[in-house]
Amino acid sequence: MKREICRMGNPVLRATAEKFKIADLNTPEFKGLLQDMFDSMKEYGGIGIAAPQIGISKQVAIIEILGMNRYGQEINLPNTVFVNPEIEILDQATQGFWEGCLSIPGMRGYVERPKHILVKYLNEKGEEQSLEAEGFLATVIQHELDHLFGTLYVDRISDPKLFMYQEEFEQYIQQPSID
Ligand code: ZN
């Protein structure tokens, strides 16, 4: 069931979310949370969503990117659940993308982030996983997982001039962006 998205200003987006215990996974409550996150992501047209965005301060995010081709990269990440994730930066070199966020509707901002990361996490069954990511996918993962630690992309915009309304972005910038 889709839920209302919490918007910037809601304290839940600024808290560090609580880690799951293994026993919390594989429960009807957890499966219901994942379903609500998935339905909300689809309803609002995101490629990722984190539990705090629907008001649940727990460390889980989901990302699904199907056949997206942006910036010359073809990206396919089937619906992936990240529980209790930790990011390791493999290359301090950064890359910039225009980002948006379901919790900050109607805005776009240019953010530079490390371009090569390793993320370690548990899947929805509690199994340990790791995923190495570069390029656009590395940025999407960092954006979503930031939500679990009270950080929004606006905190990472280095040049305030590169923060604007969606309509002006489309009018004057005309570049692909991350929704
Ligand atoms: Zn976001």
Side-chain angles (χ1 to χ4, degrees):
M1 189 178 67
K2 83 174 163 78
R3 302 233 213 140
E4 201 169 313
I5 301 290
C6 299
R7 303 204 307 179
M8 182 167 62
N10 187 321
V12 73
L13 296 174
R14 291 313 196 167
T16 294
E18 189 188 342
K19 283 194 175 200
F20 282 92
K21 300 184 188 80
I22 293 288
D24 299 332
L25 309 177
N26 263 319
T27 61
E29 188 188 12
F30 180 67
K31 285 177 182 152
L33 171 61
L34 291 182
Q35 189 64 50
D36 287 357
M37 289 170 64
F38 189 77
D39 292 345
S40 304
M41 177 176 76
K42 290 293 171 190
E43 173 74 18
Y44 300 105
I47 55 177
I49 194 168
Q53 292 183 277
I54 59 166
I56 306 295
S57 194
K58 297 277 194 133
Q59 287 193 18
V60 59
I62 61 178
I63 296 174
E64 183 185 60
I65 306 175
L66 298 175
M68 182 181 280
N69 194 337
R70 290 186 180 176
Y71 302 94
Q73 289 181 48
E74 166 89 15
I75 299 166
N76 267 297
L77 184 70
N79 187 23
T80 302
V81 176
F82 297 88
V83 173
N84 298 349
E86 287 177 20
I87 289 181
E88 185 184 331
I89 295 165
L90 298 179
D91 185 347
Q92 288 291 346
T94 59
Q95 60 186 354
F97 289 107
W98 286 90
E99 299 187 21
C101 181
L102 296 178
S103 296
I104 311 169
M107 305 295 291
R108 284 287 182 269
Y110 187 78
V111 181
E112 292 189 29
R113 300 179 185 270
K115 67 180 183 186
H116 191 186
I117 60 165
L118 177 70
V119 54
K120 292 181 179 167
Y121 61 100
L122 303 177
N123 66 13
E124 63 274 31
K125 297 173 190 157
E127 297 161 342
E128 289 184 15
Q129 307 284 315
S130 67
L131 176 64
E132 198 177 325
E134 292 183 84
F136 177 81
L137 181 59
T139 276
V140 173
I141 291 171
Q142 288 173 82
H143 175 118
E144 294 309 328
L145 302 193
D146 264 356
H147 278 299
L148 307 180
F149 302 93
T151 297
L152 298 172
Y153 82 82
V154 292
D155 306 348
R156 300 193 183 277
I157 294 174
S158 51
D159 182 352
K161 296 187 189 74
L162 300 179
F163 181 49
M164 60 188 67
Y165 292 99
Q166 171 74 22
E167 287 174 15
E168 278 69 13
F169 171 79
E170 286 169 6
Q171 185 175 354
Y172 297 107
I173 306 291
Q174 299 173 338
Q175 281 181 26
S177 63
I178 294 170
D179 302 311

